[in-house]
Amino acid sequence: MLFQFENTYARLPETFFARVDPTPVAAPEFIAVNKALAGELGIDPEGLASDEGLAFLSGNRIPEGAEPLAAAYSGHQFGGFSPVLGDGRAILLGEVIHRDGLHRDIQLKGSGPTPFSRRGDGRSALGPVLREYLVSEAMAAFGLPTTRALAAIWSGDKVYREEVEPGGVFTRVARSHLRIGTCEYFASRRDFEGLRTLVDYALNRHYPDRVDSENSALALLNGVMERQASLVARWMGLGFIHGVMNTDNMSLSGETIDYGPCAFLDRYDPAKKFSFIDRNGRYAYGNQPNIAHWNLTRLAEALLPLAGEDEEKAIAAVTELLERFPDLFRSSLANTFAAKLGFDKADENSRLLAESLLSLMGEQQVDFTLTFRHLRSAVNGAKADAFSALFPRPESAREWLAGWHRALDAAGILADTAEATMRTANPVFIPRNHRIEAVIEAARDKNFAPFHQLHAVLQRPFEEQEENYTFEDPPLAHEVVQATFCGT
Ligand code: AMP
Ligand code: MG
């Protein structure tokens, strides 16, 4: 048996999902199989890459032990509440055990219609499949909590969007697919039994150290809040813009989920957004912490019926928790940027230095990733010129560098130590938007060479790879990506 399924979600009450099988695709072919991840999941990598594995992951055959289902959830999308969203183009096959001992969902995306598809076709175009594969695996290589990519498949079908596009099926691996929107689903139906079941299930699965808390709902809120504060801070440290932080795209486990219209900053600009449908910049780079807080407030509201004996006490309890978010986030962010500057933890100096560097970068429109990547090399003075040359006014950068060196000295941090800290915080390579677009363009003609090349570079994002140095480059004027589109 290829998958040793141990399903728990399928044991929950039937209100949690709709049982539905994937719909076969015409002529599936593997584009990528993540054999390393398969190994971590106890799945035979060669078996997964075989014809049998292909049939399973394209939805053409159902593996033994799978209990395919589409999960129910709601969500606040761009501020407005949709009571019924659910898996409209995704089907959970089942759960396997990772070698860390925790369950992982194996989910097919683009595997055909479900009772939650509404007017959608349940399919995915190939472009979003390749983007999710590359970006989620890059996030994993950066060390961030994220859903993973197990496979990308060319379906052989056409899908109809603005244009006719080749179809794809993506296999997503996640600690679970529970979202804030899952809690909202039960709360909005006033199914408090279901909500209680969900809270207990989520606590057990993701916060086992909190199961004995006095109040499970508050414990869950607290856990999700801490993980999300840290996650969003780490996104900020990479210049990552999620693009569609709806409450149905915010995971209770604290993983980054849903790589639809995501993008990375080239030039530093807190107001930057890429998503075509995000007209007002609700999900712009610098607004992500506010939105995380807003989303957590929706989670708190959903959990309110379980958060205290009476409503007044419940409101007081969740409010007290929610008020901690800004500080939690600020301290995560300060630590993230402290590491980017070579400090082992944040203090007043590292905070001020990060602020002043970011404002120089903003004023002079300097590339986010290159700045920190060159700062890494500037620490022992050798390549300080490459850093300051990024700035149209290099003397301002030299002045900042001098202050930075003084602060490192004052903290007693040796150049090598600072360099080692920065080496795991400041990637050389990120999935640049224009590179992703080029991958997607080439894939229309079934040319996957750019996909594989970019994937290989991003597996070692912190290493200098001399042969791949062009992958560091920001886009040329004509390559700049203006907008990204959802996977739909
Ligand atoms: P997303 O923008 O990916 O977070 O999706 C929002 C909602 O739309 C989810 O309920 C999806 O399942 C649903 N959806 C997106 N694309 C499709 C599609 N092609 N067919 C059916 N449902 C879809
Ligand atoms: Mg989604």
Side-chain angles (χ1 to χ4, degrees):
M1 255 169 33
L2 198 49
F3 302 93
Q4 306 293 319
F5 286 115
E6 286 196 26
N7 305 331
T8 59
Y9 199 81
R11 302 279 80 74
L12 290 169
E14 298 282 324
T15 46
F16 278 70
F17 50 77
R19 297 194 189 269
V20 57
D21 286 347
T23 306
V25 299
E29 289 171 44
F30 273 123
I31 298 167
V33 194
N34 192 339
K35 291 188 183 173
L37 179 60
E40 293 174 30
L41 297 169
I43 303 167
D44 168 40
E46 299 315 319
L48 193 67
S50 72
D51 286 348
E52 190 189 34
L54 179 63
F56 292 153
L57 298 184
S58 58
N60 288 10
R61 254 174 75 191
I62 302 190
E64 207 180 317
E67 295 174 88
L69 61 86
Y73 56 85
S74 309
H76 276 87
Q77 302 177 300
F78 291 91
F81 186 62
S82 300
V84 186
L85 290 171
D87 289 333
R89 60 166 159 186
I91 292 177
L92 176 70
L93 287 183
E95 298 152 41
V96 297
I97 315 289
H98 188 274
R99 66 171 175 231
D100 65 11
L102 301 176
H103 285 233
R104 293 293 191 284
D105 282 5
I106 307 285
Q107 191 202 54
L108 304 185
K109 232 178 136 177
S111 50
T114 77
F116 301 106
S117 296
R118 291 164 290 162
R119 282 185 298 277
D121 58 3
R123 292 301 185 190
S124 182
L126 190 60
V129 168
L130 300 179
R131 173 185 280 112
E132 178 154 359
Y133 199 109
L134 291 169
V135 183
S136 65
E137 287 304 298
M139 293 294 250
F142 295 144
L144 263 70
T146 175
T147 61
R148 300 288 306 268
L150 187 61
I153 285 167
W154 168 278
S155 70
D157 287 321
K158 293 188 182 350
V159 297
Y160 299 88
R161 299 293 182 261
E162 307 273 287
E163 294 167 46
V164 183
E165 310 225 19
V169 183
F170 179 77
T171 309
R172 178 159 68 184
V173 174
R175 283 169 185 262
S176 84
H177 284 85
L178 300 173
R179 311 134 195 274
I180 290 183
T182 318
C183 297
E184 291 179 293
Y185 181 80
F186 291 97
S188 68
R189 313 184 136 218
R190 310 191 59 77
D191 175 357
F192 302 133
E193 255 325 290
L195 187 62
R196 187 173 296 285
T197 304
L198 170 61
V199 166
D200 289 340
Y201 179 81
L203 264 190
N204 266 308
R205 191 158 169 185
H206 300 308
Y207 302 91
D209 51 324
R210 293 177 191 259
V211 285
D212 296 327
S213 308
E214 201 175 310
N215 182 298
S216 303
L218 293 175
L220 180 64
L221 177 61
N222 214 354
V224 176
M225 200 171 75
E226 286 178 6
R227 288 195 194 162
Q228 289 291 341
S230 148
L231 180 68
V232 176
R234 297 182 71 186
W235 290 354
M236 304 296 284
L238 290 165
F240 179 73
I241 307 170
H242 181 283
V244 59
M245 287 176 73
N246 295 329
T247 55
D248 51 307
N249 293 332
M250 210 159 153
S251 150
L252 296 184
S253 77
E255 287 182 326
T256 310
I257 187 168
D258 204 320
Y259 289 89
C262 66
F264 285 82
L265 286 177
D266 293 307
R267 292 169 175 183
Y268 176 67
D269 171 8
K272 187 68 189 166
K273 56 111 184 169
F274 287 91
S275 172
F276 181 70
I277 56 170
D278 188 6
R279 306 243 172 223
N280 303 315
R282 178 180 171 90
Y283 300 139
Y285 172 77
N287 209 30
Q288 297 185 115
N290 294 332
I291 292 295
H293 196 190
W294 192 91
N295 288 346
L296 289 161
T297 308
R298 303 290 82 75
L299 175 61
E301 283 167 3
L303 296 176
L304 213 48
L306 309 182
E309 298 135 49
D310 63 61
E311 199 178 352
E312 211 174 302
K313 282 199 186 121
I315 291 176
V318 303
T319 306
E320 196 187 317
L321 282 184
L322 284 170
E323 280 171 354
R324 288 179 51 223
F325 181 82
D327 278 345
L328 273 176
F329 173 75
R330 266 194 294 273
S331 105
S332 285
L333 189 73
N335 284 326
T336 298
F337 276 88
K340 294 183 79 65
L341 301 185
F343 295 85
D344 51 0
K345 62 178 190 322
D347 65 9
E348 199 49 28
N349 274 337
S350 71
R351 254 183 252 255
L352 292 173
L353 279 165
E355 260 170 43
S356 57
L357 179 58
L358 288 171
S359 60
L360 285 181
M361 289 159 66
E363 285 156 24
Q364 301 184 46
Q365 304 205 349
V366 185
D367 187 85
F368 184 87
T369 304
L370 282 183
T371 301
F372 291 100
R373 178 256 185 284
H374 284 301
L375 189 63
R376 238 171 91 166
S377 321
V379 71
N380 33 42
K383 293 188 187 155
D385 288 349
F387 173 82
S388 31
L390 294 169
F391 293 76
R393 289 189 283 105
E395 73 287 357
S396 62
R398 279 194 286 272
E399 212 173 287
W400 184 89
L401 274 181
W404 175 58
H405 279 296
R406 279 196 300 275
L408 285 174
D409 285 346
I413 298 171
L414 302 175
D416 284 351
T417 314
E419 214 273 333
T421 306
M422 286 189 282
R423 202 182 308 135
T424 56
N426 301 345
V428 178
F429 300 101
I430 58 161
R432 295 259 181 197
N433 311 322
H434 65 294
R435 291 280 177 183
I436 301 272
E437 289 306 321
V439 162
I440 294 174
E441 223 18 72
R444 284 183 210 279
D445 304 326
K446 250 185 147 172
N447 172 12
F448 304 124
F451 168 85
H452 291 295
Q453 199 185 1
L454 183 56
H455 178 254
V457 170
L458 292 171
Q459 294 226 287
R460 298 179 290 129
F462 296 109
E463 287 175 34
E464 314 248 352
Q465 303 173 32
E466 261 153 44
E467 67 287 11
N468 292 319
Y469 69 94
T470 56
F471 284 82
E472 284 186 39
D473 296 342
L476 299 171
H478 71 275
E479 294 173 323
V480 173
V481 171
Q482 307 294 348
T484 54
F485 300 87
C486 270
T488 45

